[in-house]
Amino acid sequence: MKAFFRAKAWALLHDPPHKMWALYGTLRLTGRGHEEEALEVWRRLGFNDVFGDPAECEEIVRRADDMASTSDRWITNFSFAEVREVFEYDKLHNVFNPRLSTPIGQLERRGLEEFLGQLAGKLKRFTDPREAYHALYALYEVEWAARGLPPSLADTRAPTHTLFDHAYATALTLNLLWPDGKVGGYAVLVDIPGIQQVVGAARKTGDFWAGSWMISAITWLILWPFAWEFGADVLLKPSPRYNPYYHATLCAQLGGGDDLWSSFEKLYSSLYPGGLPKFEPRHAVRQPVIPGTACLILPKVRPNGQKLEKSSLEREVREKFEKAFELILAFASGEGEVSEEPYAAFFELLSGRATSAERAPRSVVKLFTIIRKNEPKAFEGLLRPRVCVVDVGELYAEWLKVVEGEAEAAGRGAEILRGLAAAKAKLAELGVDEEEAAERLTWQALFALFYSELSSRAAEELVAPKAWFTVEGRELKPIACFEEFYDSGGGVGYITCSVCGSEPAVLRLSKVTKPGATDYSKKAQEMLEKLGFTKEDIDELKVWVKPGEALGPLCLTKRALYASVKDMLELGFESTEDVAFSFVAEELHGLTRHLRDSEDEGKVKKFIGEVIKSFETMLDPSAERARALYERVFRELIERDPEAREKVVGSTKKLSERLSRIYGVEGFEVPIDFLTSFRSYYCLLRADADNVGKLAQGGVPANSYPELLENLKREAEKRGKAKCAEAFEKATKCVEALLSSIEEATGNKLLIPSPTYSLALSTALMVTALKGVMTIEYELKGAPVFSGGDDDLALLPAETGLAAVEHLRAIYHGEGGFHRVGGCAVPALAVYGKSFSLLFASILDHMSEEIAECTRLLEEVAKEAKWESGSGELEKDTLVLSDSRGGGVAMLPLSGERQSLNALEAMWIARLSGSLSANLPEDYELVREAVEAAAATGKWDLAAELVLYVLRRNTPQGKLEGEPLKGLERLVGELKRLRAVKEVPAPYGEKPEEGRASVLSWLVEAFRVVRGYP
């Protein structure tokens, strides 16, 4: 085991963290070369005592170093073979879009010395090789970034990745070479199918979140035992870098305490502008950012020397899935303590510091436990995984023969392999050794090819849904007595779950409508009393299980799971009412202190409470009567209580300022009744990045890598480094030969994704996801349901729905193409766009149906959209807006500077503050045909002027003056030349039709959708 983790530790440290400055000779610890500098870092961190001499693993790490490098680097090494001068360069280029770059500052000796001292201090207590390696892996990059130090380039001649990108990819790649240096090991894909159905089956916000978090938790509990045994570097997807689940679980496993966690807290706080108020280990596992599809890269031998077999590995993964799901069921039953290793660490995060009150099971948890105990078969096999394992060594040998020309390419990936074979021949003409080229090209393609192989094999595996009935003789019999917990007493047959509509319900509590309230029926209450529920238990249960609901096993599990973790994870949402009121909830809590204890005012007090509760049980079963009661209570309060009115005025000002900050618009105020208006709508947001699959295959902008090498050549010429310039020219020809060969074979110019590229992609997605959920939760007062970086699912108050699109779209591309994490820059996926669906839904709507509609519009409208401009067509990268009650649908392009979205935001805020009439869409109908006719004939200025004319007509002064109106003239002028192409969603009340519509008309249609909110 010591040899195994020694090799992995040296893979991380084989280049010193200050490598580029050591090469320049401007910052050295020893006064010698960068290899000696790496040995000095090893010594200073105390690893001679823990791991011994790294010389014993130098050869295998050197091979992993080669294998991990990006495709341009080994070509650059070949091109620079005769060059002895150092090429100094201080910019990091985005590995996905090299046209984007960011400067790298100068590292000072004091910063390096303090970093090494601090890191050594945190590592010194770990003497076990596994623990020491995990601590190093987790802290190495994090400690550097948290201290604000600039990252070194891994290679100044190929400046698309940092030292950390390369070091962590080398540790990952080592798994495919251990223990003998020959390519082998296994790639494992774990996928939980049907995630959309699991998450989308929801009535309450808590259901929505719990379904998503359950998937994340189960996936993580499958991965964590492997990560702990082999090292976190076995994780390809999700990335172990900047992974809060890994960092928090590891801290609990190591017993690190605040000293170990402080670096992680500082790192994650830096992802949110202004920092976070607190970020404890339990907060790190609060949001579902672990996807339901994961990939492991495992060596063919375990750390203890035991051989790992493919057949037993697949069985082991499936067993870990079953164990993970069983642990989640147990936790939902209120069994907070788990002692089994290595799972205990994760559950310690969820309950380790809980008070006895927080651990006390809620009524819904108590009911779930009773039902599960009586009908265990109903809860078995609710989720089933796809598991696919491939022997990388076997695939590598097959693919190498194809590239060498000894075999024909067949099956998935055949085109790429043929392209590599052609590239080998072209590179040979440029002087590259054919045998070396074949081996290196196959290495480069290995990750992309085996992930493609895994995906295709997994797709062929059919996962049958759970069978609810068995055949005995000629009879069909249920696997459980579904009716045992129906208040009807059974004998009437099972009913389906009222939330998902697909499972047999295992619980049914009928309702009775009383004046001003909805309650459980007498039979339901009697059944609960027989089960040992007190009156207080039953009253509390109504918050969790709505009178009249029927819940299936999985839906009941989600409800109980949410109740089990709510307090420990400090989750603020239970119902859609919570989300609808979340933007004003904090100010409302202050105002309710002025309410009396009369019947109506008492109802409103209870409704708002610590969290907003169901209006049906707290105010009135009728939404209209509930609204009338709520607004009347506050109207009367303001009229009689001057102090309350003053509070409303102050709160209104605060809310106006918050909206100003969120939307970047100054100088406006919302009306006085903004705070006290009853809110019956919220937003559902679905987003999906465009062409991520293409990017994963190396689909970077055409010619961007040859362009980068040309720019580096010019830079070398400017500095008088003629030999470097010649080498860059040679490298350019090699890269062009590689790209052209792949293009001829596949029809696309693809960069072959190396291990470094693949891990960088995974890391970019993780950082994007974290920034997204933090923005939704803290800035926009929403409820993140899932974020994988490329896709997002969230609930938001109507006030911040448009802002969420703006913020998440900006986060995806980063700041100038990079995410700033402390002193480090993580390349963002700033290549293609991201499409969004934003649906305004009523709290009365069935959430499952609205989620399905929101997703449908994303896939069928936003992802299929095309926009015609003067320079060609823009695909996807579109926002589709919809309204569950009015039926309106509209779409806007998000490419470029997002002028259409900014214009819509300005119009919505102007309507909210009273400076723009809500009747604008009806007024626009008078000029719509003229606008489209002008656009169709290229008279763009006339089209824009007609729209501005209507805008002016709908302002109090007839002018576009003051915020936010004054910017509309510029925005309309900038976006006027765009038109939608192909079939487009219908304008309000019309059928979809083939043709074109100007973005100006779509802007007005979008305003029609949003004008009535909040």
Side-chain angles (χ1 to χ4, degrees), residues 7-22:
K8 291 203 165 189
W10 184 241
L12 280 183
L13 299 174
H14 72 280
D15 285 330
H18 57 296
K19 177 183 177 181
M20 76 186 222
W21 295 285

Side-chain angles (χ1 to χ4, degrees), residues 1-8 56-64 171-186 230 298-308 393:
M1 187 174 75
K2 185 176 181 178
F4 180 78
F5 287 110
R6 174 174 56 227
K8 291 203 165 189
E56 297 182 34
C57 58
E58 277 186 353
E59 187 55 41
I60 194 170
V61 170
R62 185 176 294 113
R63 186 162 167 77
L172 168 70
T173 306
L174 184 68
N175 291 297
L176 297 179
L177 298 171
W178 185 261
D180 53 11
K182 296 179 181 178
V183 177
Y186 305 98
F230 292 91
L298 297 169
K300 54 195 172 190
V301 175
R302 292 185 182 275
N304 62 8
Q306 181 184 350
K307 189 175 180 181
L308 195 60

Side-chain angles (χ1 to χ4, degrees), residues 726-975:
E726 290 174 9
F728 280 125
E729 184 174 358
K730 190 175 183 179
T732 302
K733 292 177 181 178
C734 290
V735 170
E736 286 176 337
L738 174 58
L739 292 175
S740 63
S741 298
I742 299 297
E743 184 179 22
E744 288 166 8
T746 67
N748 294 300
K749 258 188 181 174
L750 300 174
L751 177 77
I752 303 303
S754 66
T756 298
Y757 180 98
S758 299
L759 188 57
L761 177 65
S762 181
T763 303
L765 290 172
M766 180 60 75
V767 174
T768 303
L770 291 172
K771 292 176 75 173
V773 297
M774 288 177 182
T775 298
I776 289 170
E777 180 178 4
Y778 296 108
E779 177 74 0
L780 305 179
K781 307 300 179 184
V785 176
F786 176 74
S787 180
D790 56 335
D791 57 343
D792 302 277
L793 182 58
L795 280 71
L796 295 130
E799 292 91 340
T800 61
L802 291 175
V805 177
E806 171 78 16
H807 283 63
L808 293 179
R809 180 62 177 73
I811 286 171
Y812 186 67
H813 272 201
E815 303 168 37
F818 294 87
H819 297 297
R820 309 293 162 178
V821 186
C824 291
V826 175
L829 304 178
V831 184
Y832 305 108
K834 192 170 187 175
S835 296
F836 290 80
S837 175
L838 188 69
L839 185 147
F840 290 82
S842 168
I843 57 178
L844 296 172
D845 295 333
H846 197 295
M847 185 187 283
S848 296
E849 295 175 2
E850 300 310 327
I851 294 167
E853 177 63 5
C854 187
T855 302
R856 184 191 70 80
L857 289 170
L858 174 69
E859 297 298 332
E860 296 182 9
V861 177
K863 301 287 284 184
E864 295 297 322
K866 289 185 179 180
W867 297 90
E868 183 184 70
S869 70
S871 56
E873 285 189 355
L874 305 173
E875 295 187 351
K876 306 179 181 182
D877 204 9
T878 292
L879 163 65
V880 58
L881 293 141
S882 57
D883 171 8
S884 71
R885 290 298 169 109
V889 179
M891 64 180 190
L892 293 173
L894 297 175
S895 302
E897 300 299 315
R898 299 181 288 284
Q899 294 96 333
S900 60
L901 178 58
N902 295 152
L904 179 61
E905 289 171 340
M907 291 166 68
W908 176 78
I909 290 173
R911 199 281 308 162
L912 191 65
S913 60
S915 56
L916 185 65
S917 170
N919 292 325
L920 184 146
E922 286 71 25
D923 205 9
Y924 180 72
E925 293 304 319
L926 299 173
V927 300
R928 179 194 289 273
E929 289 187 7
V931 170
E932 292 303 319
T937 55
K939 298 175 181 177
W940 303 108
D941 290 336
L942 175 58
E945 188 53 44
L946 287 169
V947 174
L948 291 171
Y949 164 75
V950 175
L951 281 167
R952 294 187 193 102
R953 271 175 52 91
N954 283 272
T955 61
Q957 306 299 323
K959 298 177 182 178
L960 298 179
E961 294 180 349
E963 292 286 3
L965 291 172
K966 67 180 183 182
L968 279 173
E969 194 160 350
R970 173 184 60 82
L971 290 168
V972 168
E974 289 175 350
L975 59 86

Side-chain angles (χ1 to χ4, degrees), residues 93-100 160 698-711 735 739 749 751 831:
H93 289 255
N94 186 310
V95 69
F96 312 111
N97 188 353
R99 292 163 183 161
L100 303 173
T160 54
V700 300
N703 300 318
S704 57
Y705 271 80
E707 285 175 13
L708 171 61
L709 291 169
E710 285 288 345
N711 290 335
V735 170
L739 292 175
K749 258 188 181 174
L751 177 77
V831 184

Side-chain angles (χ1 to χ4, degrees), residues 22-65:
L23 288 171
Y24 298 164
T26 59
L27 179 54
R28 290 178 178 169
L29 299 170
T30 64
R32 297 190 295 276
H34 80 275
E35 292 89 352
E36 288 77 12
E37 292 288 293
L39 287 170
E40 177 63 13
V41 170
W42 180 270
R43 184 190 68 78
R44 290 199 185 194
L45 294 181
F47 285 163
N48 282 327
D49 296 330
V50 179
F51 297 116
D53 189 351
E56 297 182 34
C57 58
E58 277 186 353
E59 187 55 41
I60 194 170
V61 170
R62 185 176 294 113
R63 186 162 167 77
D65 174 22

Side-chain angles (χ1 to χ4, degrees), residues 38-345:
L39 287 170
E40 177 63 13
V41 170
W42 180 270
R43 184 190 68 78
R44 290 199 185 194
L45 294 181
F47 285 163
N48 282 327
D49 296 330
V50 179
F51 297 116
D53 189 351
E56 297 182 34
C57 58
E58 277 186 353
E59 187 55 41
I60 194 170
V61 170
R62 185 176 294 113
R63 186 162 167 77
D65 174 22
D66 274 351
M67 191 172 176
S69 301
T70 52
S71 55
D72 54 334
R73 185 182 170 199
W74 71 263
I75 287 175
T76 304
N77 284 341
F78 159 73
S79 304
F80 276 77
E82 304 300 322
V83 180
R84 295 292 173 263
E85 56 188 1
V86 175
F87 178 68
E88 297 183 13
Y89 194 70
D90 60 359
K91 289 181 183 177
L92 172 65
H93 289 255
N94 186 310
V95 69
F96 312 111
N97 188 353
R99 292 163 183 161
L100 303 173
S101 65
T102 186
I104 296 175
Q106 175 63 42
L107 177 66
E108 302 296 334
R109 175 174 292 277
R110 180 179 175 181
L112 175 62
E113 296 277 5
E114 289 179 350
F115 161 76
L116 292 173
Q118 187 78 15
L119 183 58
K122 292 189 175 186
L123 294 174
K124 66 181 180 182
R125 70 183 180 87
F126 301 109
T127 56
D128 174 78
R130 174 180 281 115
E131 291 185 351
Y133 176 67
H134 269 287
L136 170 67
Y137 190 94
L139 287 169
Y140 186 38
E141 181 178 22
V142 165
E143 193 71 33
W144 188 277
R147 298 181 72 82
L149 301 177
S152 168
L153 291 170
D155 189 333
T156 56
R157 303 164 306 171
T160 54
H161 52 289
T162 68
L163 183 284
F164 294 111
D165 294 329
H166 175 64
Y168 281 86
T170 302
L172 168 70
T173 306
L174 184 68
N175 291 297
L176 297 179
L177 298 171
W178 185 261
D180 53 11
K182 296 179 181 178
V183 177
Y186 305 98
V188 183
L189 186 75
V190 186
D191 176 56
I192 302 176
I195 292 176
Q196 295 284 1
Q197 290 76 16
V198 173
V199 176
R203 184 188 69 80
K204 298 164 67 73
T205 305
D207 298 342
F208 210 16
W209 177 91
S212 183
W213 187 85
M214 179 169 64
I215 297 295
S216 275
I218 289 172
T219 305
W220 178 244
L221 288 170
I222 297 168
L223 300 176
W224 168 241
F226 291 106
W228 174 244
E229 180 184 0
F230 292 91
D233 49 74
V234 298
L235 301 178
L236 177 60
K237 180 183 180 182
S239 172
R241 297 167 66 194
Y242 305 109
N243 186 324
Y245 277 64
Y246 170 57
H247 291 151
T249 310
L250 181 65
C251 276
Q253 182 75 33
L254 297 177
D258 293 339
D259 179 57
L260 195 58
W261 181 250
S262 60
S263 297
F264 302 121
E265 182 177 26
K266 190 173 181 181
L267 174 88
Y268 291 119
S269 186
S270 74
L271 293 175
Y272 182 71
L276 297 173
K278 61 178 178 178
F279 197 77
E280 298 175 10
R282 58 178 174 164
H283 299 141
V285 297
R286 178 166 60 179
Q287 299 300 350
V289 294
I290 304 297
T293 301
C295 186
L296 289 160
I297 307 299
L298 297 169
K300 54 195 172 190
V301 175
R302 292 185 182 275
N304 62 8
Q306 181 184 350
K307 189 175 180 181
L308 195 60
E309 300 289 350
K310 179 182 174 183
S311 58
S312 62
L313 177 57
E314 181 174 339
R315 185 168 58 252
E316 183 180 350
V317 174
R318 292 186 185 278
E319 287 171 355
K320 282 182 167 53
F321 175 88
E322 295 298 329
K323 182 65 179 178
F325 187 51
E326 180 60 32
L327 288 170
I328 290 298
L329 286 174
F331 190 77
S333 299
E335 301 171 25
E337 294 185 7
V338 174
S339 58
E340 185 175 346
E341 293 293 345
Y343 304 103

